[in-house]
């Protein structure tokens, strides 16, 4: 009998990082299926380029840093899957390639790789692409136009609802179409119904904490209700703001990145709320149509402070905060 | 008794208490049964004993409470001094696989009841309560709502429940918690003058052919115990104590059954070390029953920033192991934090 000395506990929950990231991948894939229906197989190539770019860069950076590369670590694949979904279907391959490279080599690994990164790599990559190639990233083809694989210059592109709102114009998109994703916009971020289903699935699986996206959306809705940009009723303003751009997609897939969000429930609620307000401020005063990636990067930098406040600051301000531990 | 409605954090665990729980408790002695049962002759009937005589009997019989390893007579003496009002009988077994307390409560009701009567008399406590664990969905036996007129209260549901007994019952102070097995030995010492020569243990785990609750002689080696129940497979891990907090042992021949041994578990797992890093999911924070942030404490220890341990309240850790259990990256959280927690003081003070 060969016994091994192990630490307690002697039973473990069956979840591991692979199942968590697997859940994310599982929910990202339906968005790709929809995108292929809308725009043809070019989306599949964009996805492959992005995923390979992220995964290979992750491996390369691990090698350069002389760290063990864990093949079970799927987080770079999730990053690679997220990036093309907030881009238009006509996006040139080199844009997603460089966005992926930037996400891994500049945002993830300099801070210590998986689990240590301060900023969400996907948000970093998207922000990089938006700053470098705004003309390529914010012009969208209409759904059900088949995009040629290589030369996309002939494809007719339009601006999204987010851009109309930005310019102070009246959004013309039908709300039903927006729920179903039948409007011009980022590849994966338009199908609001599917995104909400993803949110429900991920929160039931406890892969993401529900409180964070809910507070985020509540804050964004509150801002849209209080300060409508176009000359529309407040209720319509809320609906258009929430369903346009990458706001809903970001709330489900990028905001809840476990590495870069706070850990305490109360801190998560405040963080989500603050992120919602900052996102809307970026929309109102920023240079681009949708500022979610930029807002998220700013919030990421502060995430640890929210936890620090709940652990150290709040007990000082509001008393010890612990009740009923008399024994 | 006003129940507090404060939400309790923790984790739901699958219990794996069957088939050991519903089986009769079997005896496994290394001396002949007749020798083990012989005690000094009883001079008085239990009804005529005075509290001090009961305490003296507990002292002479050398009864040790299986919950905390303290002598029963000392606990009773202390309870008298403090003037406790309630005797709480612990038959919780909140850790999976373990059912040595609940099994004793169910199968040796008369002895538990007699022991409890004597202990409550000795401690001069008016109230008696038996606590069992709420989360017993896989149990095939029914837990009665009262045993011999004493109310059986179901508490908890989430692991850990053992460290919150008083709080869950709404008792602030003035109670003493006694292990159910020590009451059985007290009853035996009173009726037949027996010394405590055995302990009740659960033998279970995925390598055990015949999981059961045993009454085993003290000082029996674990190899003998495992042999008695049969090994279906070669275990890679043998644990003395519960599956959440027990100690993994290396040598089954040299580890012996003691009065505080509540279970012997044998596991075989083919799971390999995966070298995952913390991904910051926050499940440890969400489940910590004391409301700590295990991952921050772990990180502070790993980066040797020990000054952070005070604001992070590392000393309040109860060592339940919930954080390690839920951690998807399988980090050794509780064992790392446990080094910085307060040494276990006297309870109920």
């Amino acid at each position: 009998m060969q016994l091994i000395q192990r630490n307690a506990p002697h039973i473990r929950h069956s979840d591991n990082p692979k199942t968590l990231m697997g859940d994310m991948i599982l929910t990202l894939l339906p968005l790709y299926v929809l995108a292929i229906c809308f725009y043809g197989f070019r989306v599949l190539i964009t996805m492959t380029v992005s995923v390979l770019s992220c995964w290979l860069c992750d491996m390369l950076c691990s090698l350069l840093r002389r760290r063990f590369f864990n093949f079970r670590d799927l987080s770079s694949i999730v990053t690679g899957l997220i990036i093309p979904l907030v881009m238009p279907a006509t996006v040139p391959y080199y844009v997603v390639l460089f966005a992926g490279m930037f996400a891994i080599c500049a945002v993830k690994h300099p801070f210590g790789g998986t689990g240590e990164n301060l900023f969400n790599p996907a948000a970093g990559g998207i922000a990089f692409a938006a700053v470098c190639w705004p003309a390529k990233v914010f012009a969208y083809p209409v759904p059900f136009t088949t995009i040629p694989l290589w030369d996309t210059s002939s494809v007719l592109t339009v601006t999204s609802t987010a851009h109309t709102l930005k310019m102070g114009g009246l959004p013309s998109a039908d709300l039903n179409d927006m729920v179903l994703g039948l409007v011009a916009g980022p590849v994966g971020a338009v199908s609001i119904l599917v995104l909400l289903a993803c949110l429900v699935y991920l929160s039931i699986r406890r892969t993401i904490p529900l409180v964070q996206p809910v507070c985020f959306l509540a804050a964004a809705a509150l801002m849209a209700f209080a300060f409508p940009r176009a000359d529309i009723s407040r209720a319509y303003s809320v609906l258009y703001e929430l369903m346009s751009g990458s706001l809903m997609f970001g709330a489900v897939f990028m905001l809840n990145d476990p590495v870069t969000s706070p850990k305490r429930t109360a801190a998560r609620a405040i963080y989500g709320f603050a992120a919602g307000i900052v996102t809307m401020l970026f929309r109102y005063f920023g240079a681009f149509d949708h500022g979610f990636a930029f807002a998220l990067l700013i919030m990421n930098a502060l995430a640890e402070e929210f936890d620090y406040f709940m652990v150290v600051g709040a007990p000082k301000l509001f008393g010890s905060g612990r009740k009923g531990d008399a024994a | 008794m006003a129940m507090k409605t404060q939400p309790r954090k923790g984790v739901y665990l699958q219990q794996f208490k069957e088939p050991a729980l519903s089986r009769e408790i079997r005896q496994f002695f290394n001396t002949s049964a007749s020798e083990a049962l012989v005690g000094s002759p009883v001079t008085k009937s239990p009804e005529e004993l005075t509290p001090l005589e009961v305490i003296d009997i507990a002292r002479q019989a050398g009864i040790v409470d299986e919950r905390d390893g303290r002598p029963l007579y000392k606990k009773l003496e202390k309870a008298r001094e403090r003037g406790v009002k309630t005797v709480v009988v612990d038959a919780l077994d909140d850790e999976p696989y373990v059912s040595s307390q609940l099994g004793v409560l169910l199968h040796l009701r008369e002895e538990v009841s007699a022991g409890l009567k004597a202990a409550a008399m000795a401690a001069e406590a008016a109230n008696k309560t038996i606590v069992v664990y709420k989360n017993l969905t896989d149990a095939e036996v029914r837990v009665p709502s009262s045993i011999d007129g004493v109310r059986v209260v179901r508490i908890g549901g989430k692991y850990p429940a053992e460290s919150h007994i008083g709080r869950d019952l709404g008792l602030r102070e003035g109670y003493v918690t006694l292990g159910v097995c020590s009451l059985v030995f007290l009853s035996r010492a009173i009726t037949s003058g027996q010394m405590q020569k055995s302990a009740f243990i659960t033998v279970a785990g995925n390598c055990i052919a015949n999981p059961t609750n045993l009454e085993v002689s003290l000082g029996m080696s674990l190899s003998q115990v495992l042999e008695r129940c049969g090994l279906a497979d070669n275990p890679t891990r043998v644990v003395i104590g519960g599956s959440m907090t027990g100690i993994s042992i290396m040598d089954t021949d040299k580890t012996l059954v003691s009065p505080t041994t509540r279970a012997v578990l044998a596991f075989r797992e083919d799971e390999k070390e995966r070298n995952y890093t913390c991904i910051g999911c926050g499940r440890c924070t969400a489940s910590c029953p004391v409301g700590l942030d295990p991952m921050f404490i772990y990180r502070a220890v790993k980066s040797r920033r020990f000054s952070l341990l005070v604001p992070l309240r590392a000393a309040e850790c109860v060592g339940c192991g919930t954080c390690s259990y839920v951690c998807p990256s399988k980090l050794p959280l509780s064992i790392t934090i446990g080094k910085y927690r307060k040494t276990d003081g006297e309870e109920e003070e």
Side-chain angles (χ1 to χ4, degrees):
Chain A
M1 191 160 27
Q2 190 66 46
L3 295 181
I4 310 164
Q5 181 125 37
R6 293 277 175 77
N7 291 330
H10 306 287
I11 45 174
R12 293 293 183 109
H13 196 269
S14 56
D15 273 4
N16 58 41
K18 212 170 111 189
T19 53
L20 289 172
M21 292 300 158
D23 269 341
M24 293 296 269
I25 293 174
L26 199 69
T27 43
L28 284 163
L29 289 179
L31 295 172
Y32 273 104
V33 173
L34 268 180
I36 291 166
C37 295
F38 286 172
Y39 301 107
F41 284 95
R42 188 175 193 279
V43 179
L44 215 58
I45 302 177
T46 328
M47 176 189 96
T48 315
V49 170
S50 171
V51 167
L52 278 181
S53 151
C54 287
W55 194 64
L56 291 175
C57 282
D58 199 29
M59 202 187 289
L60 197 73
C61 287
S62 301
L63 234 93
L64 284 174
R65 293 173 57 227
R66 299 205 174 84
R67 293 293 160 88
F68 161 77
F69 179 75
N70 196 339
F71 280 91
R72 290 183 192 84
D73 177 14
L74 304 176
S75 58
S76 58
I77 294 175
V78 173
T79 306
L81 284 172
I82 288 175
I83 292 172
L85 286 176
V86 285
M87 307 253 171
T90 51
V91 68
Y93 298 129
Y94 65 86
V95 172
V96 288
L97 179 76
F98 285 120
M101 282 168 70
F102 185 83
I104 302 298
C105 302
V107 184
K108 188 175 177 183
H109 273 280
F111 294 96
T114 306
E116 309 276 337
N117 48 311
L118 186 56
F119 301 101
N120 183 305
I126 292 157
F128 176 76
V131 170
C132 294
W133 300 281
K136 307 255 194 260
V137 172
F138 294 119
Y140 306 98
V142 188
F144 303 114
T145 43
T146 308
I147 319 283
L149 290 186
W150 288 108
D151 185 24
T152 57
S153 57
S154 61
V155 178
L156 184 72
T157 56
V158 294
T159 53
S160 66
T161 316
H163 183 77
T164 317
L165 285 165
K166 174 88 198 145
M167 293 292 125
L170 286 174
S172 58
D174 183 45
L175 280 174
N176 286 333
D177 283 353
M178 287 189 87
V179 171
L180 297 174
L182 299 171
V183 289
V187 169
V190 284
S191 319
I192 304 300
L193 210 57
V194 181
L195 286 172
L196 287 175
C198 293
L199 179 68
V200 170
Y201 172 79
L202 288 175
S203 57
I204 286 173
R205 292 277 296 160
R206 286 184 62 216
T207 303
I208 62 172
L210 189 60
V211 58
Q212 203 162 286
V214 165
C215 285
F216 172 81
L217 293 173
L222 210 66
M223 286 285 280
F225 186 80
F227 311 106
R229 285 192 282 183
D231 189 17
I232 44 177
S233 79
R234 287 172 189 274
Y236 273 102
S237 164
V238 170
L239 288 175
Y240 274 119
E241 293 283 6
L242 288 191
M243 295 199 293
S244 67
S246 56
L247 196 129
M248 192 67 84
F249 179 84
V252 180
F253 290 106
M254 280 148 75
L255 180 71
N256 305 308
D257 171 14
V259 183
T260 55
S261 41
K263 318 299 172 219
R264 305 206 127 211
T265 310
R268 278 174 167 164
I270 305 171
Y271 173 83
F273 200 83
I277 289 173
V278 175
T279 305
M280 292 310 280
L281 288 178
F282 259 97
R283 284 192 161 193
Y284 288 179
F285 305 111
F288 299 109
D289 296 352
H290 32 87
F292 178 78
F294 298 96
L296 185 62
L297 289 175
I298 289 184
M299 294 310 294
N300 283 168
L302 300 172
E304 197 107 324
E305 297 306 314
F306 284 86
D307 267 326
Y308 183 80
F309 175 75
M310 290 321 292
V311 175
V312 181
K316 265 185 201 158
L317 276 179
F318 312 116
S320 81
R322 290 181 285 126
K323 292 159 272 169
D325 49 354
Chain B
M1 243 183 262
M3 290 276 188
K4 278 201 178 165
T5 49
Q6 190 184 6
R8 244 168 35 82
K9 293 202 281 185
V11 63
Y12 289 104
L13 300 172
Q14 201 181 342
Q15 289 298 311
F16 301 107
K17 291 202 195 301
E18 293 294 350
L21 178 58
S22 52
R23 288 184 178 161
E24 286 296 317
I25 293 169
R26 289 157 210 202
Q27 294 180 329
F28 184 41
F29 296 139
N30 54 8
T31 48
S32 67
S34 56
E35 202 181 318
L37 288 170
V38 167
S40 51
V42 186
T43 50
K44 271 186 175 176
S45 72
E47 284 77 26
E48 293 163 14
L49 289 169
T50 63
L52 288 175
E53 279 172 330
V54 172
I55 292 175
D56 197 48
I57 287 171
R59 187 176 61 78
Q60 283 179 2
I63 300 169
V64 172
D65 192 314
E66 82 277 4
R67 288 185 82 238
D68 45 20
R70 288 163 63 200
L72 183 64
Y73 85 93
K74 279 197 174 167
K75 291 185 79 165
L76 290 175
E77 272 178 355
K78 196 141 199 190
R80 267 176 72 83
E81 275 170 33
R82 285 175 31 231
V84 299
K85 293 187 182 66
T86 312
V87 174
V88 179
V89 181
D90 172 11
L92 268 181
D93 286 330
D94 56 354
E95 297 187 47
Y97 292 101
V98 183
S99 59
S100 57
Q101 287 184 316
L102 188 60
V104 166
L105 179 73
L106 294 179
H107 297 294
L108 302 173
R109 274 176 217 191
E110 290 76 28
E111 283 176 291
V112 173
S113 172
L116 174 56
K117 222 172 267 172
M121 191 264 286
E124 287 176 346
N127 306 320
K128 291 172 274 190
T129 310
I130 300 170
V131 288
V132 297
Y133 195 36
K134 208 187 259 170
N135 183 6
L136 289 170
T137 42
D138 67 345
E140 284 168 21
V141 282
R142 215 178 61 84
V143 180
S145 58
S146 75
I147 287 177
D148 209 4
V150 181
R151 202 158 66 98
V152 178
V153 183
R154 291 166 161 245
I155 66 164
K158 283 182 175 178
Y159 173 85
E162 202 117 334
S163 51
H164 301 290
I165 292 177
R167 210 174 83 188
D168 282 5
L169 287 174
L171 299 171
R172 280 195 162 270
E173 51 205 3
Y175 69 94
V176 60
T177 317
L178 302 176
V180 70
C181 305
S182 64
L183 295 179
V184 172
F185 295 120
L186 180 64
S187 149
R188 287 181 186 172
I190 289 168
T191 50
S192 58
Q194 276 179 58
M195 293 275 290
Q196 180 179 0
K197 283 178 183 165
S198 56
F200 292 97
I201 65 169
T202 302
V203 186
N206 61 9
C207 288
I208 301 293
N210 203 2
T212 184
N213 281 321
L214 287 179
E215 184 182 352
V216 182
S217 298
L218 296 176
M220 189 90 84
S221 78
L222 294 202
S223 342
Q224 287 172 290
V225 172
L226 291 175
E227 214 169 84
R228 165 71 174 75
C229 291
L231 285 173
D233 201 348
N234 254 345
T236 55
R237 187 192 303 212
V238 171
V239 176
I240 187 158
S243 47
M244 292 296 279
T245 56
I247 300 159
S248 154
I249 57 145
M250 294 291 281
D251 194 338
T252 48
D253 289 327
K254 288 180 185 149
T255 313
L256 309 177
V257 172
S258 78
T260 52
T261 307
R262 278 156 66 175
V264 176
L265 308 174
F267 296 104
R268 176 172 193 88
E269 68 256 297
D270 300 317
E271 187 88 0
K272 293 184 191 75
E273 295 290 320
R274 299 290 196 205
N275 292 317
Y276 287 123
T277 51
C278 174
I279 54 160
C281 63
R283 288 185 183 182
C284 48
T285 297
S287 58
C288 177
V290 199
L292 307 179
D293 303 85
M295 70 152 288
F296 286 132
I297 303 175
Y298 180 73
R299 204 198 269 167
V301 171
K302 284 282 154 185
S303 57
R304 308 190 63 77
R305 281 177 293 175
F306 297 113
S307 60
L308 282 174
L309 295 179
V310 175
L312 289 169
R313 295 161 37 214
E316 288 174 37
C317 171
V318 291
C320 62
T322 310
C323 48
S324 295
Y325 171 82
V326 297
C327 181
S329 297
K330 323 287 178 215
L331 298 175
L333 295 168
S334 72
I335 204 84
T336 312
I337 298 163
K339 289 174 191 153
Y340 299 93
R341 74 178 211 239
K342 270 183 223 149
T343 44
D344 299 305
E346 301 259 293
E347 61 160 349
E348 296 142 23
E349 275 174 343

